[in-house]
Amino acid sequence: MHIAINAQLLNTEESYRGAGVSNYSQNLLTGLGKEPGGHRFTTFVSDPNFHAENVTLRRSRGFVAKPLARIAWEQTVLPLALKQMEADLVHGLVNVLPLATNLPGVVTVHDLSFVRMPEKLPPAKRFYLTRLCGASVAKARRVIAVSRQTADDLMDCFGVDAGKIEIVYNGVAENFHPGNAAETERFRISAGLPERFLLYLGTLEPRKNLARLIDGYARWRESDPAAQGVALVLAGGKGWYYDEIFQRVRDRGLEDAVHFPGFIPGPQLPHWYRAAAAFVYPSLFEGFGLPVAEAMACGTPVICSDAASLLEVAGDAVLIFPAAETDGLVQALRTLFAQPEVGAELAQRGLARSGRFTWERAAQETLAVYTAALL
């Protein structure tokens, strides 16, 4: 089986471009290359530094990294390239397939936030994603959804037949695991982090519900002595409409208590999770919610919202609060910091739960989707 893979959004640079769907692309391709069976993988990338064992890379020129150029390339140059190569199937790793090809296709859809929460995205990006993703899932032989939430949205929003949707969960990389306490403390000091802090890690954008997290944190500090000395660290690159998040911190007078370290490079992420007293993820909507799984794998207690995909990932291993209720967040914080045994229990449950999510499993299940698409 010869699979052509469009991975133009793969990026190895240490910036927000290397997170999210790029993380998925890198880990899945690496996992596919390690699978036995003699399959051939030819991957189209523009990143100059990515390598994966047993994966042939066809590198595009750097201009493809620009959004408009990439969109044009996917729908014009890529179909011509596919026509010239002897591939059995094409896989679009991020929401879109080349529409002008007769080659059977598989497309991975990560979330439908651009349909479910259109007000959170700029109009141009929303228009492109809605039109191209809708056409791609209609054309595809199989659609990979990264969660039951995304699968349900595909059926509800685009009318995709349930029979051609396959759920393949993301994985957690092997470097996410509990660490040595002394090493973690050395890292905390070297990174200039507070002695005790709550950690959020992800893009700074409205969909992540960070305004509510800031409000809840402020109310917790005002009403609970246990909150004294516990900082809030909001780590991640700036996304859409991030200004309101910084403004909310100023409005609440929390400039000295809330820290914005910016984007955290992938190799450093486990250290940040381990150093935190707890990980908080208040998102309104997610396709999968990988940071929750990563934090659990590091043995860090987790508080997260009741967004459907987060419940899929977290199970009974985290404290849940309603995404639209600040009171619920405040109560979860009170519970975790008033009862140390709760945090210890969550840490153990999280470790067990996170073991379900591996890139080896994701690669094996993706191969099975390819086979099903060619039947």
Side-chain angles (χ1 to χ4, degrees), residues 173-250:
E174 294 179 355
N175 59 322
F176 291 91
H177 56 76
N180 176 275
E183 290 179 358
T184 297
E185 179 62 8
R186 285 195 293 271
F187 168 79
R188 184 193 66 77
I189 294 171
S190 68
L193 289 167
E195 185 173 350
R196 300 180 75 206
F197 65 94
L198 299 169
L199 175 66
Y200 160 85
L201 201 152
T203 307
L204 305 182
E205 61 183 6
R207 176 165 65 99
K208 302 300 186 177
N209 205 21
L210 296 181
R212 188 171 306 281
L213 173 55
I214 293 163
D215 288 346
Y217 172 70
R219 285 173 52 180
W220 179 54
R221 280 170 55 92
E222 294 165 358
S223 61
D224 187 351
Q228 301 309 308
V230 181
L232 175 62
V233 175
L234 303 179
K238 295 175 181 178
W240 307 109
Y241 310 129
Y242 64 85
D243 285 339
E244 67 182 58
I245 298 166
F246 291 86
Q247 185 60 49
R248 187 63 63 99
V249 171
R250 291 191 290 268

Side-chain angles (χ1 to χ4, degrees), residues 15-101:
S15 75
Y16 73 95
R17 300 180 194 280
V21 295
S22 177
N23 179 70
Y24 167 82
S25 300
Q26 293 183 58
N27 282 290
L28 180 65
L29 288 170
T30 300
L32 288 171
K34 293 178 180 178
E35 286 299 305
H39 304 298
R40 293 174 59 198
F41 303 100
T42 299
T43 300
F44 295 87
V45 297
S46 57
D47 186 276
N49 299 313
F50 176 74
H51 298 278
E53 183 180 355
N54 298 321
V55 176
T56 300
L57 302 178
R58 291 185 58 169
R59 299 191 194 274
S60 308
R61 295 184 179 180
F63 76 91
V64 178
K66 298 179 180 180
L68 291 179
R70 187 194 73 249
I71 293 167
W73 178 91
E74 287 174 337
Q75 302 306 326
T76 58
V77 178
L78 180 56
L80 292 175
L82 293 173
K83 190 173 183 179
Q84 295 169 359
M85 59 189 294
E86 296 180 353
D88 299 304
L89 181 144
V90 58
H91 183 186
L93 294 186
V94 187
N95 299 345
V96 171
L97 281 173
L99 302 178
T101 179

Side-chain angles (χ1 to χ4, degrees), residues 310-324:
L310 299 185
L311 298 180
E312 286 184 67
V313 173
D316 64 351
V318 309
L319 290 181
I320 300 291
F321 71 93

